[in-house]
Amino acid sequence: MKILKDILYKVGIESVTGSTEIAIHRIDFDSRKIETNDVFVAIRGSLSDGHDYIDKAIQLGANAIICDILPQDTVKGITYIKVKDTNTALAFMAANYFGNPSEKLKLVGVTGTNGKTTIASLLFQLFQKAGFKVGLLSTVKIMVDEKEYKATHTTPDSLTINHYLNEMIDAGVTHCFMEVSSHGVHQKRTEALHFTGGIFTNLSHDHLDYHSTFAEYRDVKKSFFDSLPKSAFALSNIDDKNGSVMLQNTKARKLTYALKTYADFKAYILESQLSGLLLKVNDNEVWVKLIGNFNAYNVLAIYGTAVELGMDNLEALRLLSDLESVSGRFEYIISQSAITVIVDYAHTPDALENVLKTVEDIRTKNEQLIAVVGCGGNRDKAKRPVMAQIAASLSDKAILTSDNPRNEDPEVILDEMEKGVEPQNYKKILRITDRKQAIKTACQLAQPGDIILIAGKGHETYQEINGVRHHFDDMETVKEILEQLGK
């Protein structure tokens, strides 16, 4: 049991009704999970408002309510804390409840449109290989040293983050690498966390279904760097036009990485093949098993972070050369008849263009490139025509198909994608709504030596249709189809 007043440290309290000296059991923002002596935090979500469930939480046993609007009728014996913003209050309460675990290890946040998962996951891998106990909070999974948990969000809620950070402290973890999404920052999930460093990857068209404008999306990312303490480092991709923006107001130590311009961490691509990259990083050459220009940037971010966290330069490069690619990120297989199939998470215009241009750089031009591309339902509609045009213009044949249609009609999604295809590329597209059939068609069309790119889902092992998640794994499906076809 903890005392309520102890977990209210740094919370912006506007008024208190009742006592803060009461013993509390847990904190939760889901009224369905409330038990005796729990604190219920009323959060405003996109689909529902926690303030509507205050009575239910009390009925289930809550003895304290955190809200930004007091109920008209209060219940005797219940403590009501009115705060300016319940999301921010939850963040500080969660950190206090678990003993501020982020202050007891080195926590590095990775933000940007593309590359977050790769950088966070490979930093986890690199520091683990260096002999450290490491934690990971990513889109793909959560790791507490060797123990793996399933991830549900890119950036989990404040309670979940602090719960796992606390578990990491108990397990002796010294470093944790965390994906920081714009949603997470905007919803204050990262508030009250102590970061040792922050990494900016790039910024392109994404999440404009959530953020009303690109400027708002950029500024939310920037606010993460604005909040870094003086003791932290801020490492930014200066080749991205927003890279310098991220560093404008940060109190942290400013560092840069780049392929094209002068930077603290600079690389040149000496060789680019399907088997990897030969890079000159600052003054040293290193071979890595990662593919494409975008991964050269990721390597620089990883190297720069390792050095900033105290690792020897040459040791960092040695470990970089041993890293394996992340699941669903330019993951490829070569069939018995020499058909190369690449599965990648690319689900934004910029990411899709990067992957297709990477394939273009490493192909011989004697083979055809077939792209299988879809767009998610109930998400940013503006990118649909753009992605279809990129797929059609940068491949020999593009198959437009379903991604996660969610609650939208997949045919309508494909209609909107198709509108972006320019007339000269129209003959290159096929439209196959069923994703498995689209992948099968790509495999049937492919000849020995050809390359197939299946974009959009990467590591995901489900397809969401009408609100229901069905098992679907792109790489698993490819292997099954190639075996059936005898290729």
Side-chain angles (χ1 to χ4, degrees):
M1 284 286 191
K2 297 180 185 291
I3 304 301
L4 178 59
K5 72 172 184 179
D6 294 337
I7 65 166
L8 292 173
Y9 180 60
K10 290 188 177 180
V11 173
I13 297 173
E14 295 190 340
S15 71
V16 178
T17 305
S19 174
T20 61
E21 295 287 345
I22 58 171
I24 59 105
H25 179 218
R26 293 168 50 257
I27 309 168
D28 215 314
F29 56 89
D30 185 342
S31 61
R32 296 168 297 183
K33 296 178 182 176
I34 292 295
E35 297 174 355
T36 303
N37 293 333
D38 283 352
V39 179
F40 175 62
V41 185
I43 299 291
R44 297 180 190 279
S46 55
L47 299 176
S48 63
D49 184 350
H51 291 76
D52 296 334
Y53 300 93
I54 289 175
D55 288 344
K56 180 185 176 185
I58 293 171
Q59 288 167 13
L60 289 171
N63 64 353
I65 303 295
I66 314 296
C67 53
D68 53 43
I69 295 178
L70 281 172
Q72 286 186 335
D73 299 314
T74 57
V75 178
K76 190 177 180 181
I78 303 296
T79 299
Y80 295 85
I81 309 287
K82 184 178 182 296
V83 297
K84 185 177 180 181
D85 175 62
T86 50
N87 280 300
T88 305
L90 177 65
F92 280 102
M93 290 171 70
N96 292 332
Y97 182 86
F98 287 104
N100 294 288
S102 64
E103 296 178 2
K104 300 170 186 174
L105 46 64
K106 292 182 178 180
L107 176 64
V108 177
V110 190
T111 196
T113 305
N114 302 310
K116 296 187 296 295
T117 302
T118 297
I119 291 171
S121 299
L122 293 183
L123 276 166
F124 172 84
Q125 208 183 112
L126 184 142
F127 274 79
Q128 203 173 46
K129 287 177 183 293
F132 294 92
K133 284 181 177 286
V134 196
L136 173 68
L137 294 165
S138 81
T139 304
V140 178
K141 59 188 174 183
I142 293 168
M143 296 293 298
V144 178
D145 192 19
E146 301 283 352
K147 200 169 182 179
E148 182 176 330
Y149 298 92
K150 188 177 179 181
T152 56
H153 295 80
T154 300
T155 305
D157 64 81
S158 305
L159 283 168
T160 303
I161 292 170
N162 282 281
H163 165 81
Y164 283 117
L165 288 175
N166 187 54
E167 189 174 325
M168 290 176 197
I169 298 303
D170 290 344
V173 166
T174 56
H175 298 73
C176 176
F177 302 101
M178 172 181 175
E179 289 187 53
V180 176
S181 69
S182 59
H183 290 66
V185 175
H186 188 255
Q187 294 169 11
K188 310 297 182 185
R189 297 179 207 164
T190 56
E191 203 86 8
L193 295 179
H194 178 82
F195 285 93
T196 303
I199 304 166
F200 171 71
T201 62
N202 49 65
L203 207 64
S204 65
H205 198 292
D206 199 18
H207 299 308
L208 297 190
D209 56 313
Y210 181 85
H211 303 286
S212 54
T213 64
F214 186 83
E216 182 192 310
Y217 176 47
R218 177 201 63 212
D219 291 346
V220 168
K221 295 282 190 190
K222 180 180 178 296
S223 70
F224 169 67
F225 292 92
D226 293 349
S227 68
L228 288 176
K230 194 175 179 179
S231 58
F233 67 85
L235 177 60
S236 184
N237 173 7
I238 206 69
D239 280 347
D240 187 283
K241 62 184 178 182
N242 292 289
S244 58
V245 175
M246 298 297 144
L247 300 178
Q248 280 175 357
N249 304 110
T250 187
K251 297 182 286 292
R253 189 167 66 262
K254 299 175 183 180
L255 297 159
T256 58
Y257 66 97
L259 294 178
K260 300 172 185 175
T261 52
Y262 175 80
D264 297 294
F265 301 100
K266 177 77 184 282
Y268 298 95
I269 298 175
L270 303 177
E271 287 182 36
S272 180
Q273 301 172 14
L274 192 58
S275 54
L277 290 166
L278 179 61
L279 301 173
K280 187 172 185 180
V281 177
N282 288 0
D283 295 321
N284 297 289
E285 289 187 12
V286 61
W287 174 265
V288 294
K289 301 172 190 176
L290 307 170
I291 303 155
N293 282 23
F294 59 95
N295 268 323
Y297 283 106
N298 293 339
V299 166
L300 277 174
I302 294 162
Y303 174 71
T305 301
V307 171
E308 280 306 300
L309 291 175
M311 193 175 288
D312 175 75
N313 294 33
L314 294 178
E315 174 68 357
L317 290 171
R318 183 186 71 78
L319 292 168
L320 272 170
S321 66
D322 201 30
L323 297 181
E324 300 290 342
S325 62
V326 180
S327 173
R329 268 63 176 178
F330 216 96
E331 188 178 2
Y332 71 93
I333 59 168
I334 300 174
S335 73
Q336 290 181 346
S337 61
I339 295 168
T340 300
V341 185
I342 301 161
V343 169
D344 194 88
Y345 187 53
H347 62 288
T348 66
D350 186 57
L352 181 62
E353 185 173 358
N354 282 337
V355 172
L356 285 167
K357 284 185 173 178
T358 293
V359 176
E360 183 68 19
D361 289 342
I362 59 179
R363 63 186 286 205
T364 65
K365 313 295 190 293
N366 295 318
E367 69 288 282
Q368 67 172 337
L369 168 58
I370 303 168
V372 180
V373 179
C375 289
N378 304 109
R379 296 292 187 270
D380 187 355
K381 294 185 177 185
K383 68 183 182 183
R384 293 172 184 175
V386 182
M387 289 186 67
Q389 171 53 21
I390 289 169
S393 61
L394 295 179
S395 62
D396 298 299
K397 189 164 289 295
I399 301 176
L400 307 184
T401 189
S402 295
D403 189 299
N404 291 317
R406 298 185 175 88
N407 294 312
E408 274 196 78
D409 182 345
E411 296 295 344
V412 172
I413 297 172
L414 293 182
D415 287 343
E416 292 177 358
M417 290 181 71
E418 206 173 313
K419 286 175 185 174
V421 180
E422 294 175 356
Q424 69 270 26
N425 292 322
Y426 204 78
K427 63 181 182 298
K428 294 203 284 185
I429 67 166
L430 286 174
R431 177 173 162 156
I432 303 172
T433 309
D434 182 271
R435 190 173 182 88
K436 184 171 184 177
Q437 189 58 46
I439 293 171
K440 185 175 183 178
T441 301
C443 293
Q444 289 171 326
L445 290 171
Q447 298 299 313
D450 287 350
I451 301 170
I452 300 170
L453 170 68
I454 303 168
K457 290 179 62 59
H459 65 282
E460 292 180 352
T461 56
Y462 63 86
Q463 189 174 27
E464 190 174 330
I465 304 169
N466 292 324
V468 179
R469 290 191 172 189
H470 307 268
H471 177 76
F472 195 96
D473 183 312
D474 279 352
M475 185 58 82
E476 185 183 288
T477 302
V478 164
K479 289 176 179 176
E480 179 189 317
I481 287 168
L482 288 174
E483 190 176 339
Q484 288 172 356
L485 295 174
K487 293 185 178 182

